[in-house]
């Protein structure tokens, strides 16, 4: 079985990377296509290819009559606007003709994408994200209040900074927001008025240390037609950090990794949940032990094996 891949998961199936270190996009898609002539499958994802790159790759595969494409973490969501309609039409035309299999993260996305993009349901494989990373820690870390300080909210996808800042108003929370640079400029005045520290573009190592040492991770999220927050939930579970999250479709099936779920776009509910949780250490300790036991069932190593099986099964069925 010969696989070509430009993503980190490629090493799981001993794939050959046609251009190690390449940034992705259309150029990477062209290299994948050229390398795929003698390969059994191309293993990539939309994040690496970009949407234009994935369309170009799928078009070339269709024209050359090669149904060889396997996608990990397929998360296109419900695309809107003119560009969204063009991408949706292209995906609907091309992906059913060239796709061997695609991983989706939630059941509702599997059903939605089968209809939206015309992909046969059996080619959309539900493989949920892992709950903790056993490459980082052999077991999810236990909650220990003495080792933690400050509240954190971080992310680049579906973040509801308006609701979070409104919830923090007059609360004197030790809260830091880490967001995109463009978002920092938009919200820094409101954050300052609420006594919230807002940062952007910090080094990855510093970000990870900040999360791992936090007393609470607050995930105030907007409801969009795409998975969201899985990496944050997993990272928090790995490091024993409690999470309060908004109730949205994006985390459907992953709610057990949070200690509390609150209605979206409701500052009062979010404020009450944070204050109640952090004011009741015994309840928080019990909830964190529940999260730890739940997370222990699904380490990265299990997820890795399921990804490998996805690619192997797709190639065997093609043959």
């Amino acid at each position: 079985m010969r696989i070509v891949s430009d993503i980190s998961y490629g090493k799981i199936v001993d794939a050959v990377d046609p251009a190690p270190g390449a940034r992705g996009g259309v150029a990477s898609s062209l290299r994948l296509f050229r390398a795929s002539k003698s390969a059994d499958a191309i293993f990539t994802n939309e994040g690496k290819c970009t949407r234009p790159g994935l369309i170009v790759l799928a078009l070339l595969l269709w024209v050359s009559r090669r149904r060889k494409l396997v996608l990990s973490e397929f998360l296109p969501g419900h695309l809107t606007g003119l560009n969204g309609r063009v991408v949706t039409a292209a995906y609907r035309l091309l992906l059913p003709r060239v796709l061997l299999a695609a991983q989706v993260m939630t059941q509702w996305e599997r059903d939605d994408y089968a209809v939206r993009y015309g992909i046969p349901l059996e080619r959309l494989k539900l493989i949920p994200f892992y709950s903790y990373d056993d490459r980082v820690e052999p077991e999810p870390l236990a909650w220990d209040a003495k080792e933690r300080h400050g509240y954190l909210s971080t992310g680049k996808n579906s973040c509801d900074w308006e609701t979070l800042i409104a919830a923090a108003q007059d609360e004197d929370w030790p809260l830091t927001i880490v967001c995109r640079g463009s978002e920092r400029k938009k919200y820094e005045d409101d954050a300052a008025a609420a006594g919230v520290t807002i940062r952007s573009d910090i080094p990855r190592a510093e970000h990870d240390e900040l999360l791992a040492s936090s007393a609470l991770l607050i995930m105030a999220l907007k409801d969009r037609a795409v998975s969201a927050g899985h990496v944050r939930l997993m990272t928090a579970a790995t490091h024993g950090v409690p999470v309060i999250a908004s109730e949205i479709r994006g985390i459907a099936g992953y709610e057990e990794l949070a200690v509390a779920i609150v209605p979206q776009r409701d500052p009062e509910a979010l404020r009450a949940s944070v204050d109640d949780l952090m004011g009741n250490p015994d309840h928080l300790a019990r909830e964190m032990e529940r999260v730890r036991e739940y997370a222990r069932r699904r380490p990265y190593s299990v997820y890795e094996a399921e990804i490998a099986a996805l690619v192997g099964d797709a190639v065997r069925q093609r043959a």
Side-chain angles (χ1 to χ4, degrees):
M1 183 170 66
R2 183 175 183 272
I3 313 295
V4 293
S5 178
D6 60 349
I7 57 176
S8 60
Y9 292 137
K11 65 180 183 297
I12 298 172
V13 291
D14 297 323
V16 175
D17 188 340
R23 295 183 61 181
V26 173
S28 182
S29 295
L30 292 173
R31 285 189 288 265
L32 282 173
F33 174 73
R34 287 194 293 268
S36 72
K37 185 174 182 180
S38 60
D40 297 300
I42 298 171
F43 184 35
T44 187
N45 59 37
E46 188 187 59
K48 181 72 172 185
C49 283
T50 70
R51 287 167 184 162
L54 182 56
I55 291 170
V56 168
L57 177 59
L59 178 62
L60 291 171
L61 289 172
W62 179 38
V63 170
S64 59
R65 298 184 180 181
R66 301 180 199 170
R67 187 159 74 88
K68 295 185 175 184
L69 184 61
V70 181
L71 296 175
S72 72
E73 298 175 1
F74 186 50
L75 309 170
H78 185 185
L79 307 175
T80 59
L82 177 59
N83 287 341
R85 291 194 294 273
V86 170
V87 172
T88 297
Y91 280 8
R92 187 172 181 84
L93 171 67
L94 298 169
L95 291 184
R97 292 168 169 81
V98 301
L99 190 66
L100 291 174
Q103 175 205 0
V104 295
M105 310 290 276
T106 60
Q107 182 60 50
W108 68 265
E109 286 176 298
R110 182 172 184 255
D111 297 335
D112 181 35
Y113 299 160
V115 174
R116 190 177 307 282
Y117 302 114
I119 300 170
L121 194 61
E122 64 272 13
R123 295 190 211 165
L124 294 170
K125 310 295 184 180
L126 175 59
I127 301 179
F129 203 58
Y130 50 105
S131 295
Y132 85 96
D133 194 339
D134 54 350
R135 297 169 301 176
V136 175
E137 299 289 348
E139 292 283 324
L141 294 182
W143 163 249
D144 185 349
K146 298 188 296 295
E147 303 267 333
R148 314 285 175 173
H149 52 273
Y151 305 167
L152 177 67
S153 190
T154 179
K156 298 179 179 179
N157 179 18
S158 303
C159 299
D160 186 358
W161 303 125
E162 296 95 335
T163 295
L164 176 60
I165 292 170
Q169 190 73 45
D170 300 323
E171 286 296 295
D172 197 28
W173 287 346
L175 173 61
T176 298
I177 287 174
V178 179
C179 60
R180 299 177 188 271
S182 58
E183 291 177 318
R184 178 179 179 178
K185 294 176 182 177
K186 180 178 180 181
Y187 294 110
E188 59 186 354
D189 290 343
D190 290 339
V196 174
T197 300
I198 187 165
R199 303 180 62 189
S200 63
D201 304 321
I202 67 175
R204 183 71 193 186
E206 182 182 351
H207 173 277
D208 292 349
E209 175 58 30
L210 184 62
L211 196 160
S213 63
S214 292
L216 178 68
L217 176 66
I218 305 175
M219 290 173 50
L221 302 171
K222 298 176 181 178
D223 193 14
R224 293 174 174 163
V226 66
S227 291
H230 301 162
V231 173
R232 282 167 277 179
L233 286 165
M234 173 277 299
T235 305
T238 301
H239 293 288
V241 179
V243 178
I244 293 177
S246 302
E247 186 176 16
I248 62 166
R249 285 174 295 172
I251 62 168
Y254 298 82
E255 299 94 339
E256 291 294 327
L257 292 173
V259 293
I261 300 292
V262 298
Q264 59 167 314
R265 297 184 181 274
D266 189 335
E268 290 76 18
L270 178 57
R271 180 185 302 123
S273 183
V274 171
D275 291 343
D276 289 348
L277 187 72
M278 302 312 290
N280 190 340
D282 291 340
H283 172 69
L284 178 55
R286 288 193 298 271
E287 282 298 296
M288 283 304 294
E289 188 56 32
R290 174 192 60 77
V291 170
R292 186 172 185 236
E293 288 300 316
Y294 180 86
R296 184 179 279 127
R297 305 173 196 170
R298 189 164 180 77
Y300 173 83
S301 54
V302 168
Y303 181 72
E304 181 182 82
E306 292 174 352
I307 294 294
L310 165 74
V311 179
D313 290 346
V315 170
R316 285 187 287 272
Q317 288 170 10
R318 171 178 175 268

